[in-house]
Amino acid sequence: MKKKINKIMILKNRVKGYMRKFTKIDKKIGNVNVKRIEEIFSNYKQDAVFVHAGLSDIKKAFNCNPYKFLMELLEKNFDSIYVPGFTPSFRKSGVYHKSFSKPEHSIFNRLFLSEANYRTNDCIHSILVKGNSCFNDCNHFDTFSLDGCFGKMDQENILYLNIGTNFLKSTQLHYIERLLKVPYMDVTEKKGIIYYNETDYEVVLQKNYKYNTKISWNRLKLEKDMKKEKMIDTYDLNGLKVRFFKAGDLMVFLENKINKDPYYLVK
């Protein structure tokens, strides 16, 4: 009976996911006062920040070179900047080059690659770093393990920034699902080659996640619930969406929710 109920729930989630995916997003963004965004950023005193950014919305808001504008804001307020360098194509190709494998999500991430002074070895979910890295001693080949890079961000309670993204974004959610052993996620392995530079390479076994059914996070519900419990700061700057939250806080918040309902994130 329980399995049957779960299948019905998953089916409903797929329908909701498709509806959220194809729902028209209101992209009306007006001019934003630069002093306002500078004031917001100055409120956050953490050393490091993990960034998900949508450059097109930033350009609309400030009528600027959006990459340069955002980088100046980040460098003024944070010592270290972490950015997704994700290359999911490794799941098929089995090849990852730390210098030449371009991040496959977001123009901001691809532009940031040339500025990063460090990149983690994770063949699928690498993290680009400008500044000091806290990932040197992490397990880079078991992405969402307790001793992995995202586990480190949880332990360090690293600040997350979403700016110009339609919905809340956080790869930390995969880590939390793995750690709390949600019933719809499995651990998968992919054997392949990592190139550390143009000559040095190694055969590795990259552990990552795999969903055993098609799911879609209910990001709108998640953000709404996080607001209620003051786990996220959200700003609507004339249509430009800005969100700040912390990795460790997200874990504490979701541990309670998922322990009560393992399907909380996908309902």
Side-chain angles (χ1 to χ4, degrees):
M1 184 65 175
K2 187 177 180 180
K3 288 185 178 180
K4 187 173 182 181
I5 292 173
N6 288 345
K7 285 182 179 180
I8 293 172
M9 185 280 297
I10 291 293
L11 182 59
K12 287 182 178 179
N13 169 259
R14 288 184 193 176
V15 174
K16 289 180 181 178
Y18 292 140
M19 290 176 68
R20 290 193 292 268
K21 183 176 180 180
F22 293 107
T23 297
K24 186 177 180 180
I25 304 298
D26 185 0
K27 299 293 286 185
K28 292 181 180 178
I29 297 174
N31 292 333
V32 178
N33 190 310
V34 174
K35 289 184 179 180
R36 177 59 179 141
I37 193 72
E38 289 177 340
E39 180 184 73
I40 290 171
F41 271 59
S42 68
N43 290 331
Y44 298 90
K45 306 302 181 182
Q46 286 74 16
D47 293 332
V49 63
F50 191 100
V51 184
H52 288 277
L55 293 184
S56 60
D57 284 13
I58 296 172
K59 183 176 182 179
K60 291 175 184 176
F62 300 104
N63 191 27
C64 62
N65 177 323
Y67 179 77
K68 182 180 178 181
F69 178 85
L70 179 56
M71 285 301 299
E72 287 177 354
L73 268 177
L74 293 169
E75 290 175 332
K76 182 179 179 181
N77 290 278
F78 303 100
D79 294 331
S80 299
I81 305 164
Y82 303 155
V83 170
F86 303 164
T87 49
S89 62
F90 178 83
R91 291 188 175 102
K92 291 185 177 180
S93 70
V95 177
Y96 164 60
H97 196 298
K98 291 185 66 175
S99 298
F100 302 137
S101 291
K102 293 183 179 180
E104 294 167 24
H105 302 298
S106 172
I107 294 173
F108 174 73
N109 302 349
R110 291 194 285 273
L111 292 172
F112 187 85
L113 176 62
S114 63
E115 295 204 44
N117 58 277
Y118 177 81
R119 187 179 194 175
T120 62
N121 296 332
D122 191 309
C123 300
I124 299 174
H125 284 95
S126 66
I127 298 171
L128 306 173
V129 178
K130 185 171 186 181
N132 298 319
S133 169
C134 69
F135 307 117
N136 294 331
D137 298 326
C138 294
N139 179 356
H140 292 203
F141 298 117
D142 190 352
T143 306
F144 299 112
S145 62
L146 186 63
D147 61 346
C149 297
F150 291 92
K152 184 69 170 181
M153 288 201 290
D154 172 36
Q155 296 153 26
E156 297 279 332
N157 206 15
I158 295 296
L159 183 70
Y160 263 80
L161 164 65
N162 288 185
I163 180 168
T165 63
N166 293 333
F167 301 107
L168 185 152
K169 287 191 173 185
S170 177
T171 312
Q172 211 68 27
L173 294 176
H174 293 308
Y175 166 76
I176 293 170
E177 288 176 323
R178 164 85 176 271
L179 204 67
L180 298 181
K181 300 178 180 179
V182 295
Y184 51 85
M185 173 188 272
D186 298 319
V187 177
T188 186
E189 298 179 342
K190 173 66 178 180
K191 188 175 182 179
I193 298 174
I194 176 173
Y195 282 89
Y196 295 104
N197 51 48
E198 293 186 25
T199 57
D200 298 324
Y201 66 91
E202 182 182 9
V203 176
V204 296
L205 189 67
Q206 182 71 54
K207 291 185 178 180
N208 205 266
Y209 79 93
K210 180 181 180 181
Y211 291 127
N212 52 42
T213 187
K214 290 184 179 180
I215 65 100
S216 176
W217 291 329
N218 191 336
R219 300 173 192 265
L220 297 177
K221 180 188 74 172
L222 175 59
E223 184 172 345
K224 182 179 178 181
D225 289 350
M226 289 176 69
K227 282 183 184 178
K228 285 181 182 178
E229 299 191 28
K230 297 181 180 180
M231 289 290 184
I232 185 171
D233 297 332
T234 62
Y235 306 88
D236 187 334
L237 306 180
N238 209 4
L240 177 70
K241 307 295 184 183
V242 181
R243 304 171 179 87
F244 283 98
F245 55 96
K246 296 178 182 177
D249 291 350
L250 184 63
M251 177 69 196
V252 171
F253 170 78
L254 283 175
E255 185 172 17
N256 180 53
K257 298 289 186 183
I258 291 175
N259 282 340
K260 290 179 180 178
D261 180 1
Y263 294 92
Y264 168 80
L265 276 173
V266 299
K267 288 174 73 173

